[in-house]
Amino acid sequence: MVRLNRIYTRTGDQGTTGLVDGSRVSKADPRMAAIGDVDEANSALGVAIAALPADDLADLLRSIQNDLFDLGADVATPLEAGIEGALRVTPAQVERLEAAIDRLNADLDPLTSFILPGGTPAAAALHLARAVARRAERSLVELHQRVALTPAAIAYLNRLSDLLFVAARAVNKAGGGDVLWVPGASR
């Protein structure tokens, strides 16, 4: 269990931060950039949840927020440290996203155009969260080119952005439909 008695520790005042294994890295390290991007995706999900009614989708997104904290802990624990019992993203978490995508997508019409990010306020917030999740995924891929990561970590973010896209479409279906791209419409 996490217990924080003080919010500031001053240990990062020189531009470093601690990882789970006790090592310290620069706050500009690609590992910290990836963790920050995952945190930003989590915050964007919070904004989307605030725009949604209290329903099954909001509940799903709250569980995903918890998963994103797991993902941050996973990335903050170097694989090479070999810490027994370290919190890692699992394939089951990825599979749960896939099942949710399939459920949400089952009631949607096939795509005939690219979708513009917008529509209802909740759908727009979901589209923004999707874009932030994609950035987090790119950061993890970049980090993975330097250090080993849990394979399910990158897959999780890939599926999350897919889920957020489908969720935005589902929300827009209930609120008037997708906003479609019309190539060259404003020439």
Side-chain angles (χ1 to χ4, degrees), residues 31-171:
R31 184 180 302 270
M32 297 316 302
I35 291 169
D37 287 345
V38 169
D39 184 40
E40 188 176 351
N42 204 339
S43 297
L45 271 180
V47 171
I49 292 166
L52 289 167
D55 62 6
D56 291 344
L57 179 56
D59 290 343
L60 171 64
L61 296 178
R62 278 188 205 85
S63 72
I64 290 168
Q65 283 189 298
N66 197 78
D67 284 351
L68 289 175
F69 259 84
D70 291 353
L71 178 58
D74 186 338
V75 176
T77 310
L79 281 177
E80 63 272 11
I83 296 177
E84 179 110 11
L87 187 57
R88 301 289 180 201
V89 174
T90 67
Q93 288 170 291
V94 176
E95 291 164 7
R96 185 171 51 87
L97 292 181
E98 291 172 350
I101 292 167
D102 292 342
R103 277 193 313 276
L104 288 167
N105 202 43
D107 294 330
L108 298 176
D109 294 331
L111 288 172
T112 58
S113 174
F114 286 106
I115 305 294
L116 297 179
T120 69
L126 287 164
H127 278 296
L128 180 60
R130 173 193 50 79
V132 176
R134 283 280 188 219
R135 179 166 14 98
E137 179 188 8
R138 289 190 302 273
S139 292
L140 251 62
V141 168
E142 180 181 356
L143 177 62
H144 186 59
Q145 291 172 349
R146 300 168 189 237
V147 299
L149 294 175
T150 306
I154 295 169
Y156 188 89
L157 285 175
N158 191 331
R159 291 314 173 287
L160 175 58
S161 60
D162 294 338
L163 180 134
L164 294 172
F165 176 76
V166 172
R169 290 196 69 215
V171 169

